[in-house]
Amino acid sequence: MAQVGWTLRGRILVEHLFQELTDTYGAISPLAGFRVRVQARERVAGVWGKWKKWDDVIINDDDEGAFQVSKIKSSHRRRFRVQVQFKSAELVIFGSNRSLMRQVSRALRMRALRSLGAELILDQLLQQFTRIPYQSDWHTVHIDRTGRGRGAGITDLGDLTFEANGPDDLGDQIAHRQAELWFLYSRVIEFFSRLGPGFRFKKKVAVKYPHNNPLLGDRMEASYANPENYMVYIVENSVWDDYARIDYVLHEIMHIWAYQHSRREKGMAWQLIIHGDTHKLQNRTWVAFHEGFAEWAYHHVYRSLFG
C-alpha cells in the first residue's frame, strides 16, 4: 500500500460565559496552552478498526487556537477524533475523580471496608491531602461517526467552539465551564508572571470543578482553596453554583497564590475543619490576614484584567 501525506487541522475556541470576559475579549476567544490529541481509525476491507493516537500537540499562545497534525500513512480512508485535556505545566483542571479506596477494596475483596462505608470516608480524606485521586478529563471536540471516512490530504475542521448546544463535548456544560476557567485562570497566571519572578505562582495551579463532597450536606458546602494539596475546589450541588460567581472563582485562586508565598499556611485547613468557615470574625490574626488578602487581591486582579 502506497504511503501518502495526511494533515488534520482546526481551531479550539470558547464562547465566554462570564460577562467580564465577553466585554474585554469579545464573545469568543481562542484557547491555548493545553493538550490536543488527534486519533484516527482506518477502514480496511469494509471494517473500521480501533482508534489509534496520531499525536498530542500543545497550542501555543500565538497560534490563535490553531492546531495541526501531519503524518505519512497508508491511503486507507479514515475517521478522526480530536480531544482536548486542560492540563499544562502551570495549570490543570480536574473533573471526575476515580475512587482509589474503592478500587483497592474491590481488588482485595475487602467487604468489611465497603459495608461500613469506610472506603467513602477514607477516599474523601485522601482527596484532601493529595492530588492522586483526581484526573483531568479528555473532552471530545470532534469525532467522525458516520460516512465513508476521509481521504488523504489536508482536512480542515474549522472552528471547534465550546458553546451552548455545540456538538459532542463542545456543548457539554461542564466542559464549556472548564474551558472558560482555563481561559480565566490562564490570564491570572500570566498577570502575576508579568510582575516579575518573585510574584509568579511557584507551583502548578490545580482546580476541581465541579466539586460536591458526598459527606457534607449541600447547604454546608462552600468553595475553598486547600493548603494541603494546593487545589481550588469550586462547588456545584443542588443548592450552590459557585462557578456563577466570578468573585468566588478569583478569590479562591488568590488563596493559592498566598499559600505558595507564605509559611505555615496549612493552619487554614485546620481552622476550616474546626469552625466550618474562615470568612466570619476570627480570633486568629493570620486567618483574618489570609481571607483579607484573598479578597483584596481578587479586587486588584479584577481591576487589572477588566478595568
Side-chain angles (χ1 to χ4, degrees), residues 215-285:
L215 297 180
L216 296 177
D218 285 355
R219 290 194 177 278
M220 295 176 58
E221 275 200 287
S223 296
Y224 66 101
N226 189 336
E228 290 290 345
N229 58 12
Y230 296 97
M231 280 183 58
V232 171
Y233 294 81
I234 300 176
V235 166
E236 180 182 292
N237 58 34
S238 64
V239 177
W240 310 114
D241 181 12
D242 286 355
Y243 174 91
R245 297 283 302 268
I246 195 171
D247 53 337
Y248 288 1
V249 173
L250 290 175
H251 176 98
E252 299 305 338
I253 195 175
M254 293 304 99
H255 275 304
I256 297 299
W257 187 93
Y259 296 160
Q260 294 185 12
H261 291 80
S262 62
R263 299 173 60 187
R264 302 185 66 181
E265 71 282 356
K266 290 180 172 53
M268 288 288 288
W270 178 247
Q271 290 297 309
L272 179 62
I273 293 172
I274 295 299
H275 300 289
D277 190 2
T278 57
H279 295 106
K280 299 176 182 178
L281 293 175
Q282 298 291 331
N283 292 325
R284 305 286 186 179
T285 56

Side-chain angles (χ1 to χ4, degrees), residues 144-207:
D144 293 327
R145 290 190 174 91
T146 60
R148 297 177 54 247
R150 302 175 186 269
I154 298 175
T155 296
D156 192 335
L157 299 177
D159 291 346
L160 305 172
T161 305
F162 285 95
E163 59 187 345
N165 302 315
D168 305 310
D169 288 342
L170 291 171
D172 179 77
Q173 183 185 61
I174 291 176
H176 189 179
R177 286 183 164 193
Q178 288 187 353
E180 181 83 322
L181 277 173
W182 181 270
F183 185 91
L184 176 62
Y185 275 3
S186 294
R187 304 284 86 72
V188 174
I189 293 171
E190 180 185 20
F191 168 78
F192 280 101
S193 294
R194 290 199 306 266
L195 296 179
F199 294 93
R200 295 172 181 168
F201 283 88
K202 296 181 178 180
K203 300 177 183 178
K204 179 187 294 188
V205 175
V207 54

